[in-house]
Amino acid sequence: MAPQPTKSLSVADIAAPETRDGTVLQTRDVHKIYQLGETQVHALRGVSLEIRRGEFVAIMGASGSGKSTFMNILGCLDKPSSGQYLLEGTDVSQLEKKQLAEIRNRKIGFVFQGFNLLARTTALENTELPTLYSRVNKVEREQRAMAALKMVGLADRMDHFPSQLSGGQQQRVAIARALVNRPSILLADEPTGNLDSRTSVEVMEIFQSLNDSGLTIILVTHEHDISQFAKRTIVFRDGKVRRDEGVTNRARAAEVLKTMPVLED
């Protein structure tokens, strides 16, 4: 059957209309303690933060600072030992695993350092995957995936397998996959860690474009240059927020790309 024509999808369509303004997430005195034998490891020590809809936040910190633990809690992959995590007004810190899985699928899009694409599956099919767990019929599933791939500049690569795509193109597929369920928040964990300098900036150009259109983005990175594409940086150390400030002289990826050489294949 011939693919149905796709309508243009904007990030305004991705964010739920009733929650486009105000606070999208808030943590209140969040602690996370891991029990390793007889030893307690305090990964987070009373973290209280608020992130409003439309922000682009870079979370930074050395290994062991607590930034990854915090990201896991924001992504509903883990629960705090104490304290509250409110996602769009809902205290998700008290929810059961099944409820957390449903929230992850509906409200949060994930982009990882490793692209995590299925090798024997096309870009279009990889992008469709999250919709398999949603109440979306086959036609709409394909339309959403095609629109998301078009949004990240891969309209002409939909039928390609991961092995036929460059690293940057694979990460674009991963971003499209994260957008296909129209999440409230995009969480990106070291998304440029496996990419060269120019491709990293190209990914930041996509993120800035998505954010300019209203999508809330939270990015974990250890690269200072990458953090400068965000609007706000939060620095963790020893399980606490040590610095939280706006980015001055924010870099615009589209302008930076003009100064960079084009890499030959």
Side-chain angles (χ1 to χ4, degrees):
M1 183 178 67
Q4 297 293 317
T6 61
K7 64 178 181 179
S8 179
L9 180 68
S10 70
V11 180
D13 297 320
I14 291 172
E18 68 274 12
T19 56
R20 282 180 187 156
D21 297 313
T23 301
V24 64
L25 65 85
Q26 183 179 27
T27 62
R28 298 173 178 170
D29 195 30
V30 164
H31 292 254
K32 183 63 181 180
I33 301 172
Y34 295 102
Q35 191 74 38
L36 301 177
E38 297 181 357
T39 304
Q40 285 190 336
V41 177
H42 292 255
L44 294 175
R45 301 171 181 266
V47 176
S48 296
L49 280 175
E50 181 178 298
I51 295 176
R52 298 183 68 80
R53 189 164 302 285
E55 287 201 82
F56 186 170
V57 181
I59 296 178
M60 304 186 71
S63 178
S65 64
K67 68 180 188 300
S68 294
T69 298
F70 186 66
M71 193 71 153
N72 286 340
I73 289 174
L74 295 188
C76 297
L77 297 170
D78 202 353
K79 296 168 68 172
S81 301
S82 63
Q84 285 185 302
Y85 169 31
L86 304 179
L87 177 58
E88 295 184 330
T90 299
D91 186 357
V92 298
S93 53
Q94 303 301 318
L95 299 183
E96 300 299 325
K97 287 183 178 180
K98 185 175 181 180
Q99 295 170 306
L100 290 174
E102 183 178 351
I103 283 180
R104 281 196 302 272
N105 193 48
R106 288 192 298 109
K107 294 182 179 289
I108 303 170
F110 293 92
V111 180
F112 300 99
Q113 178 175 343
F115 316 127
N116 296 331
L117 303 179
L118 299 183
R120 298 182 181 180
T121 304
T122 66
L124 181 63
E125 292 165 338
N126 266 290
T127 304
E128 287 181 7
L129 284 174
T131 64
L132 296 176
Y133 303 95
S134 304
R135 297 179 181 89
V136 177
N137 64 46
K138 187 178 187 302
V139 172
E140 184 180 354
R141 189 159 64 230
E142 186 173 86
Q143 287 180 335
R144 282 195 191 185
M146 292 173 73
L149 285 167
K150 183 178 179 181
M151 189 185 298
V152 299
L154 288 181
D156 59 343
R157 295 287 189 274
M158 294 185 187
D159 294 327
H160 286 58
F161 293 93
S163 61
Q164 298 171 313
L165 301 172
S166 68
Q169 289 170 335
Q170 290 184 60
Q171 191 61 292
R172 286 171 185 254
V173 175
I175 294 169
R177 181 182 58 196
L179 296 174
V180 75
N181 270 344
R182 303 174 183 176
S184 302
I185 308 167
L186 185 68
L187 297 182
D189 190 1
E190 300 282 3
T192 61
N194 288 336
L195 304 177
D196 60 68
S197 297
R198 182 180 175 87
T199 307
S200 295
V201 178
E202 289 173 349
V203 168
M204 288 301 104
E205 183 183 26
I206 293 172
F207 282 177
Q208 285 189 330
S209 177
L210 292 169
N211 179 248
D212 289 345
S213 298
L215 184 63
T216 307
I217 298 178
I218 304 172
L219 164 76
V220 166
T221 183
H222 67 275
E223 300 174 83
H224 176 75
D225 290 350
I226 293 298
S227 73
Q228 296 307 291
F229 293 106
K231 295 176 179 175
R232 172 183 172 191
T233 58
I234 298 171
V235 179
F236 276 76
R237 188 169 72 246
D238 300 328
K240 295 183 178 182
V241 173
R242 300 298 183 176
R243 193 167 73 247
D244 183 352
E245 59 192 12
V247 175
T248 57
N249 299 317
R250 183 187 181 211
R252 295 298 303 184
E255 296 302 315
V256 173
L257 284 170
K258 294 177 183 178
T259 69
M260 303 179 75
V262 177
L263 301 177
E264 299 293 337
D265 291 333

